[in-house]
Amino acid sequence: MFEVRGYAVQSPTSPLAPFTFSRREPGDHDVQIEIAYCGVCHSDIHQARDEWGGSIYPMVPGHEIVGRVTSVGREVTKLKVGDVAGVGCMVDSCRTCPNCKRGLEQHCQNHLSLTYNSTEQDRKTPTFGGYSSQIVVDERFTLTVSPMLPPDRVAPLLCAGITTYSPLKRWKTGTGHGVGVLGLGGLGHMAVKIAAAMGAEVTVLSGSRSKQADAIRLGAHEFALTSDAATTAGLAGRFDLIIDTVSAPHDLTAQLNSLKTGGTLVLVGASPKPLEVSAPALILNRRTLAGSLIGGIQETQELLDFCAKKNVLADVEVIPMKDINDAYERMIKGDVRYRFVIDLKTL
Ligand code: NAP
Ligand code: ZN
Ligand code: ZN
């Protein structure tokens, strides 16, 4: 074991503060990474504050990790010392169940080891995330990142990127498709960029008038203020697909009504409280309400390669570690353009 510095929360109400803990020495299949940058996801806030229930403390959040490989086990073939590596929301899974076998590790039917607020495959050893100086991960759960790309702007692809890419891909987004993106935060801004890169006609559906110019700059064709009833009514029957990234309870009726016949609204935003659904809004025009959870490891690599090819990167505000508590408050207010990323050199 070796000592690692990080930031942790000790309870649902305590702020993030310096914390020292141990990680395992790299085994034969492990990669040791010196973390350069870690993105700040709204899921970090939900879990640090136990909004979903079942949080494990102390908790070191962070699952949008990019850094340099400093050591590899002797069986490792994917990465070598000096390479740039990424780690997303998962650090292990059973690897044998039907879902693991078909690349859907995020839906492991036995035990998924999330990057933090979870346990290793022994179901006992706690996992600690990327608000820390180093991490040790089995090579199967690492991603390779091009050294040509700015690592701070790549980090958010490891969660916000894959979480929006996966449903866009699954619903076959392509040229001319009408895609609505509800909520323009970390996930939302990646959904806009990725859907536009796939050729879709993107509309941002936002509660913040101040984000209108940014929406267009990010690649949207249109901006609609969700609080304006006339604007929303004018979108009736418009979209093939809506990616809903909102982090809090909200009404889905207007959004469902803006889907075409047979259209789908995919929830990726994980409101801690239940949402209400209007039956007629689904039944009329036989619409679908769906959900999606991050993406598998192979699909995450595909997303990273897609973004490298299409020059899709996150818009980030790099912060020192000590500003993390302020960053959480700003995210809760919707005041982020469009992802906070921690510079771990400042730890
Ligand atoms: P974020 O950066 O805070 O963005 C959320 C956006 O939702 C805000 O910028 C705001 O956009 C809108 N919003 C916030 N509160 C709202 C409210 N009360 N009513 C209406 N709109 C509201 O968060 P994020 O990191 O993108 O994460 C978004 C959600 O996705 C979180 O719940 C997170 O846990 C979840 N998530 C899910 C997965 C998955 O695998 N499914 C993966 C990662 C994250 P506007 O200002 O434009 O309205
Ligand atoms: Zn996340
Ligand atoms: Zn499994």
Side-chain angles (χ1 to χ4, degrees), residues 93-101 104-105 107-112 121:
S93 71
C94 85
R95 308 176 191 185
T96 56
C97 74
N99 282 346
C100 282
K101 282 198 163 145
L104 295 173
E105 298 90 348
H107 301 298
C108 176
Q109 291 153 282
N110 291 314
H111 180 60
L112 177 64
Q121 287 299 297

PDB file of all heavy atoms in Angstrom, residues 93-101 104-105 107-112 121, ligand 3:
ATOM      1  N   SER A  93     -15.597  -4.721 -12.731  1.00  0.00           N
ATOM      2  CA  SER A  93     -16.909  -5.385 -12.734  1.00  0.00           C
ATOM      3  C   SER A  93     -16.607  -6.874 -12.714  1.00  0.00           C
ATOM      4  O   SER A  93     -15.437  -7.271 -12.755  1.00  0.00           O
ATOM      5  CB  SER A  93     -17.706  -4.988 -13.981  1.00  0.00           C
ATOM      6  OG  SER A  93     -17.130  -5.577 -15.128  1.00  0.00           O
ATOM      7  N   CYS A  94     -17.670  -7.716 -12.690  1.00  0.00           N
ATOM      8  CA  CYS A  94     -17.416  -9.162 -12.524  1.00  0.00           C
ATOM      9  C   CYS A  94     -16.725  -9.767 -13.743  1.00  0.00           C
ATOM     10  O   CYS A  94     -16.063 -10.791 -13.641  1.00  0.00           O
ATOM     11  CB  CYS A  94     -18.717  -9.889 -12.204  1.00  0.00           C
ATOM     12  SG  CYS A  94     -19.688 -10.344 -13.669  1.00  0.00           S
ATOM     13  N   ARG A  95     -16.933  -9.161 -14.916  1.00  0.00           N
ATOM     14  CA  ARG A  95     -16.314  -9.578 -16.193  1.00  0.00           C
ATOM     15  C   ARG A  95     -16.871 -10.884 -16.765  1.00  0.00           C
ATOM     16  O   ARG A  95     -16.438 -11.328 -17.827  1.00  0.00           O
ATOM     17  CB  ARG A  95     -14.790  -9.729 -16.063  1.00  0.00           C
ATOM     18  CG  ARG A  95     -14.134  -8.509 -15.466  1.00  0.00           C
ATOM     19  CD  ARG A  95     -12.673  -8.746 -15.280  1.00  0.00           C
ATOM     20  NE  ARG A  95     -12.051  -7.700 -14.476  1.00  0.00           N
ATOM     21  CZ  ARG A  95     -10.766  -7.619 -14.253  1.00  0.00           C
ATOM     22  NH1 ARG A  95      -9.957  -8.518 -14.777  1.00  0.00           N
ATOM     23  NH2 ARG A  95     -10.272  -6.647 -13.530  1.00  0.00           N
ATOM     24  N   THR A  96     -17.787 -11.539 -16.054  1.00  0.00           N
ATOM     25  CA  THR A  96     -18.271 -12.849 -16.518  1.00  0.00           C
ATOM     26  C   THR A  96     -19.766 -12.874 -16.823  1.00  0.00           C
ATOM     27  O   THR A  96     -20.233 -13.776 -17.514  1.00  0.00           O
ATOM     28  CB  THR A  96     -17.982 -13.942 -15.464  1.00  0.00           C
ATOM     29  OG1 THR A  96     -18.571 -13.526 -14.229  1.00  0.00           O
ATOM     30  CG2 THR A  96     -16.492 -14.148 -15.270  1.00  0.00           C
ATOM     31  N   CYS A  97     -20.546 -11.942 -16.312  1.00  0.00           N
ATOM     32  CA  CYS A  97     -22.000 -11.990 -16.533  1.00  0.00           C
ATOM     33  C   CYS A  97     -22.303 -11.609 -17.992  1.00  0.00           C
ATOM     34  O   CYS A  97     -21.453 -11.057 -18.687  1.00  0.00           O
ATOM     35  CB  CYS A  97     -22.719 -11.054 -15.551  1.00  0.00           C
ATOM     36  SG  CYS A  97     -22.543  -9.303 -15.941  1.00  0.00           S
ATOM     37  N   PRO A  98     -23.522 -11.919 -18.466  1.00  0.00           N
ATOM     38  CA  PRO A  98     -23.846 -11.615 -19.865  1.00  0.00           C
ATOM     39  C   PRO A  98     -23.631 -10.136 -20.222  1.00  0.00           C
ATOM     40  O   PRO A  98     -23.128  -9.833 -21.303  1.00  0.00           O
ATOM     41  CB  PRO A  98     -25.315 -12.015 -19.984  1.00  0.00           C
ATOM     42  CG  PRO A  98     -25.498 -13.078 -18.945  1.00  0.00           C
ATOM     43  CD  PRO A  98     -24.601 -12.682 -17.808  1.00  0.00           C
ATOM     44  N   ASN A  99     -23.981  -9.212 -19.332  1.00  0.00           N
ATOM     45  CA  ASN A  99     -23.797  -7.794 -19.653  1.00  0.00           C
ATOM     46  C   ASN A  99     -22.314  -7.418 -19.752  1.00  0.00           C
ATOM     47  O   ASN A  99     -21.909  -6.710 -20.670  1.00  0.00           O
ATOM     48  CB  ASN A  99     -24.510  -6.906 -18.623  1.00  0.00           C
ATOM     49  CG  ASN A  99     -26.013  -6.837 -18.880  1.00  0.00           C
ATOM     50  OD1 ASN A  99     -26.478  -7.230 -19.951  1.00  0.00           O
ATOM     51  ND2 ASN A  99     -26.760  -6.349 -17.903  1.00  0.00           N
ATOM     52  N   CYS A 100     -21.505  -7.909 -18.801  1.00  0.00           N
ATOM     53  CA  CYS A 100     -20.059  -7.629 -18.886  1.00  0.00           C
ATOM     54  C   CYS A 100     -19.498  -8.180 -20.191  1.00  0.00           C
ATOM     55  O   CYS A 100     -18.690  -7.539 -20.852  1.00  0.00           O
ATOM     56  CB  CYS A 100     -19.314  -8.246 -17.708  1.00  0.00           C
ATOM     57  SG  CYS A 100     -19.479  -7.289 -16.191  1.00  0.00           S
ATOM     58  N   LYS A 101     -19.958  -9.377 -20.564  1.00  0.00           N
ATOM     59  CA  LYS A 101     -19.416 -10.018 -21.772  1.00  0.00           C
ATOM     60  C   LYS A 101     -19.763  -9.263 -23.035  1.00  0.00           C
ATOM     61  O   LYS A 101     -19.035  -9.346 -24.016  1.00  0.00           O
ATOM     62  CB  LYS A 101     -19.901 -11.464 -21.850  1.00  0.00           C
ATOM     63  CG  LYS A 101     -19.116 -12.357 -20.901  1.00  0.00           C
ATOM     64  CD  LYS A 101     -19.258 -13.802 -21.275  1.00  0.00           C
ATOM     65  CE  LYS A 101     -18.184 -14.646 -20.628  1.00  0.00           C
ATOM     66  NZ  LYS A 101     -18.715 -15.969 -20.271  1.00  0.00           N
ATOM     67  N   LEU A 104     -21.301  -4.162 -21.661  1.00  0.00           N
ATOM     68  CA  LEU A 104     -22.193  -3.295 -20.884  1.00  0.00           C
ATOM     69  C   LEU A 104     -21.823  -3.412 -19.407  1.00  0.00           C
ATOM     70  O   LEU A 104     -22.661  -3.699 -18.553  1.00  0.00           O
ATOM     71  CB  LEU A 104     -23.662  -3.696 -21.101  1.00  0.00           C
ATOM     72  CG  LEU A 104     -24.221  -3.508 -22.504  1.00  0.00           C
ATOM     73  CD1 LEU A 104     -25.631  -4.101 -22.613  1.00  0.00           C
ATOM     74  CD2 LEU A 104     -24.247  -2.029 -22.884  1.00  0.00           C
ATOM     75  N   GLU A 105     -20.524  -3.190 -19.128  1.00  0.00           N
ATOM     76  CA  GLU A 105     -20.041  -3.339 -17.748  1.00  0.00           C
ATOM     77  C   GLU A 105     -20.823  -2.471 -16.769  1.00  0.00           C
ATOM     78  O   GLU A 105     -20.965  -2.814 -15.596  1.00  0.00           O
ATOM     79  CB  GLU A 105     -18.557  -2.963 -17.653  1.00  0.00           C
ATOM     80  CG  GLU A 105     -17.619  -3.817 -18.477  1.00  0.00           C
ATOM     81  CD  GLU A 105     -17.401  -3.279 -19.886  1.00  0.00           C
ATOM     82  OE1 GLU A 105     -18.130  -2.367 -20.334  1.00  0.00           O
ATOM     83  OE2 GLU A 105     -16.475  -3.789 -20.548  1.00  0.00           O
ATOM     84  N   HIS A 107     -23.791  -2.148 -16.516  1.00  0.00           N
ATOM     85  CA  HIS A 107     -24.978  -2.873 -16.061  1.00  0.00           C
ATOM     86  C   HIS A 107     -24.597  -4.271 -15.558  1.00  0.00           C
ATOM     87  O   HIS A 107     -25.376  -5.223 -15.683  1.00  0.00           O
ATOM     88  CB  HIS A 107     -26.009  -2.968 -17.192  1.00  0.00           C
ATOM     89  CG  HIS A 107     -26.458  -1.641 -17.706  1.00  0.00           C
ATOM     90  ND1 HIS A 107     -27.116  -0.726 -16.927  1.00  0.00           N
ATOM     91  CD2 HIS A 107     -26.297  -1.036 -18.924  1.00  0.00           C
ATOM     92  CE1 HIS A 107     -27.362   0.376 -17.641  1.00  0.00           C
ATOM     93  NE2 HIS A 107     -26.867   0.212 -18.855  1.00  0.00           N
ATOM     94  N   CYS A 108     -23.397  -4.407 -15.007  1.00  0.00           N
ATOM     95  CA  CYS A 108     -22.934  -5.700 -14.455  1.00  0.00           C
ATOM     96  C   CYS A 108     -24.010  -6.272 -13.534  1.00  0.00           C
ATOM     97  O   CYS A 108     -24.535  -5.581 -12.665  1.00  0.00           O
ATOM     98  CB  CYS A 108     -21.629  -5.503 -13.685  1.00  0.00           C
ATOM     99  SG  CYS A 108     -21.075  -7.033 -12.897  1.00  0.00           S
ATOM    100  N   GLN A 109     -24.314  -7.572 -13.749  1.00  0.00           N
ATOM    101  CA  GLN A 109     -25.401  -8.191 -12.975  1.00  0.00           C
ATOM    102  C   GLN A 109     -24.918  -8.742 -11.633  1.00  0.00           C
ATOM    103  O   GLN A 109     -25.731  -9.177 -10.820  1.00  0.00           O
ATOM    104  CB  GLN A 109     -26.042  -9.305 -13.814  1.00  0.00           C
ATOM    105  CG  GLN A 109     -26.810  -8.723 -15.008  1.00  0.00           C
ATOM    106  CD  GLN A 109     -26.904  -9.666 -16.187  1.00  0.00           C
ATOM    107  OE1 GLN A 109     -25.966  -9.842 -16.962  1.00  0.00           O
ATOM    108  NE2 GLN A 109     -28.055 -10.295 -16.334  1.00  0.00           N
ATOM    109  N   ASN A 110     -23.596  -8.736 -11.414  1.00  0.00           N
ATOM    110  CA  ASN A 110     -23.076  -9.219 -10.119  1.00  0.00           C
ATOM    111  C   ASN A 110     -22.649  -8.060  -9.240  1.00  0.00           C
ATOM    112  O   ASN A 110     -23.358  -7.673  -8.334  1.00  0.00           O
ATOM    113  CB  ASN A 110     -21.940 -10.210 -10.355  1.00  0.00           C
ATOM    114  CG  ASN A 110     -22.494 -11.497 -10.953  1.00  0.00           C
ATOM    115  OD1 ASN A 110     -23.498 -12.018 -10.480  1.00  0.00           O
ATOM    116  ND2 ASN A 110     -21.881 -11.981 -12.014  1.00  0.00           N
ATOM    117  N   HIS A 111     -21.500  -7.462  -9.524  1.00  0.00           N
ATOM    118  CA  HIS A 111     -21.066  -6.326  -8.701  1.00  0.00           C
ATOM    119  C   HIS A 111     -20.254  -5.361  -9.553  1.00  0.00           C
ATOM    120  O   HIS A 111     -19.209  -5.722 -10.079  1.00  0.00           O
ATOM    121  CB  HIS A 111     -20.234  -6.805  -7.512  1.00  0.00           C
ATOM    122  CG  HIS A 111     -19.758  -5.689  -6.632  1.00  0.00           C
ATOM    123  ND1 HIS A 111     -20.630  -4.828  -5.995  1.00  0.00           N
ATOM    124  CD2 HIS A 111     -18.509  -5.267  -6.300  1.00  0.00           C
ATOM    125  CE1 HIS A 111     -19.944  -3.929  -5.310  1.00  0.00           C
ATOM    126  NE2 HIS A 111     -18.655  -4.173  -5.472  1.00  0.00           N
ATOM    127  N   LEU A 112     -20.764  -4.145  -9.678  1.00  0.00           N
ATOM    128  CA  LEU A 112     -20.038  -3.092 -10.391  1.00  0.00           C
ATOM    129  C   LEU A 112     -19.232  -2.304  -9.374  1.00  0.00           C
ATOM    130  O   LEU A 112     -19.781  -1.831  -8.383  1.00  0.00           O
ATOM    131  CB  LEU A 112     -21.040  -2.177 -11.109  1.00  0.00           C
ATOM    132  CG  LEU A 112     -20.439  -0.976 -11.835  1.00  0.00           C
ATOM    133  CD1 LEU A 112     -19.530  -1.417 -12.977  1.00  0.00           C
ATOM    134  CD2 LEU A 112     -21.536  -0.061 -12.375  1.00  0.00           C
ATOM    135  N   GLN A 121     -14.113  -5.581  -6.122  1.00  0.00           N
ATOM    136  CA  GLN A 121     -14.837  -6.836  -6.360  1.00  0.00           C
ATOM    137  C   GLN A 121     -14.950  -7.695  -5.092  1.00  0.00           C
ATOM    138  O   GLN A 121     -15.809  -8.570  -5.015  1.00  0.00           O
ATOM    139  CB  GLN A 121     -14.194  -7.612  -7.512  1.00  0.00           C
ATOM    140  CG  GLN A 121     -14.467  -6.977  -8.870  1.00  0.00           C
ATOM    141  CD  GLN A 121     -15.953  -6.919  -9.218  1.00  0.00           C
ATOM    142  OE1 GLN A 121     -16.605  -7.944  -9.358  1.00  0.00           O
ATOM    143  NE2 GLN A 121     -16.510  -5.712  -9.324  1.00  0.00           N
TER     144      GLN A 121
HETATM  145 ZN    ZN B   3     -20.739  -8.475 -14.681  1.00  0.00          ZN
END
